[in-house]
Amino acid sequence: MEIEERLRALLLQGLAGEARDYERFLAVLSTHLRAFLRRRLGQWPDEVEDLVQETLLALHNQRHTYRADMPVTAWAHAIARYKLVDWFRAHAVRGARNVPLDDVNELFSTQDQDAAQARRDLGLLLDTLPDKQRLPIQHVKLEGLSVVETARLTGLSESAVKVGVHRGLKALAARIRGLT
């Protein structure tokens, strides 16, 4: 499961002190948690974001409980489920006993498919750009590398990286406008 491996790697690197990887872990996980909670709080859509934030805070506070031999998604799902149950109790929601809490397959499946399709579409769009625009966008905007790191990696100057990102994004925006 690709998302499981990615989340596990980011979390372990984050726990080892890599702040940037920990931020990425929280960002990726929040997308999946949002989908999980949105399905269960269909009647209360305004509550989803608050519960996502509460769950992320609980995950952060309980990060020391994560065991490297345990799937990250199972650990995150358990904490999200407890937060959801707490919310139902606090709001005395009638019928909360009928809300499915344990469908683990739902936690990531839809979002994985959507994300895979978006990555494929983005990849096709990026392939239309020359390397001097495509590579800076991939490294800076998608992978989160700095301009300096990207310059070293690609052999471009720092200003060429900045210009490549700017011109590449402008070209992508024009192509997207042309598609709609």
Side-chain angles (χ1 to χ4, degrees):
M1 179 182 211
E2 181 181 314
I3 192 69
E4 178 69 37
E5 293 166 10
R6 181 173 182 218
L7 284 170
R8 184 175 183 280
L10 289 172
L11 176 58
L12 291 176
Q13 291 166 345
L15 293 174
E18 295 293 330
R20 188 178 240 168
D21 288 330
Y22 189 66
E23 288 174 25
R24 284 187 202 139
F25 164 75
L26 293 174
V28 171
L29 185 62
S30 68
T31 300
H32 302 291
L33 289 173
R34 197 169 287 112
F36 169 74
L37 293 168
R38 190 178 303 122
R39 282 189 294 277
R40 281 145 183 83
L41 292 170
Q43 297 174 4
W44 306 278
D46 296 339
E47 302 297 327
V48 171
E49 197 58 36
D50 287 344
L51 261 176
V52 168
Q53 296 306 314
E54 283 183 39
T55 302
L56 290 175
L57 183 60
L59 284 162
H60 174 73
N61 289 336
Q62 295 300 314
R63 66 190 182 276
H64 67 279
T65 66
Y66 176 70
R67 293 187 342 246
D69 62 332
M70 179 194 318
V72 174
T73 53
W75 175 71
H77 178 258
I79 292 173
R81 191 180 70 223
Y82 283 115
K83 284 296 172 187
L84 186 58
V85 168
D86 288 347
W87 186 88
F88 284 137
R89 282 186 189 133
H91 292 84
V93 175
R94 294 190 189 277
R97 285 182 255 180
N98 299 324
V99 176
L101 298 176
D102 292 324
D103 191 355
V104 179
N105 292 330
E106 265 191 359
L107 181 58
F108 297 108
S109 61
T110 303
Q111 287 296 316
D112 283 349
Q113 292 166 355
D114 293 347
Q117 185 173 0
R119 276 193 302 274
R120 187 202 59 180
D121 292 346
L122 181 59
L124 291 173
L125 277 172
L126 284 173
D127 285 344
T128 66
L129 297 175
D131 284 351
K132 64 183 180 182
Q133 293 173 354
R134 181 180 49 78
L135 292 174
I137 289 173
Q138 281 179 326
H139 295 304
V140 174
K141 296 298 184 182
L142 300 178
E143 296 171 12
L145 297 179
S146 70
V147 170
V148 173
E149 291 169 321
T150 301
R152 268 190 240 126
L153 189 63
T154 61
L156 298 169
S157 69
E158 291 177 31
S159 65
V161 169
K162 292 176 188 176
V163 168
V165 168
H166 175 73
R167 289 183 181 165
L169 291 176
K170 192 172 177 180
L172 288 175
R175 285 190 177 99
I176 291 170
R177 277 193 300 271
L179 295 173
T180 58

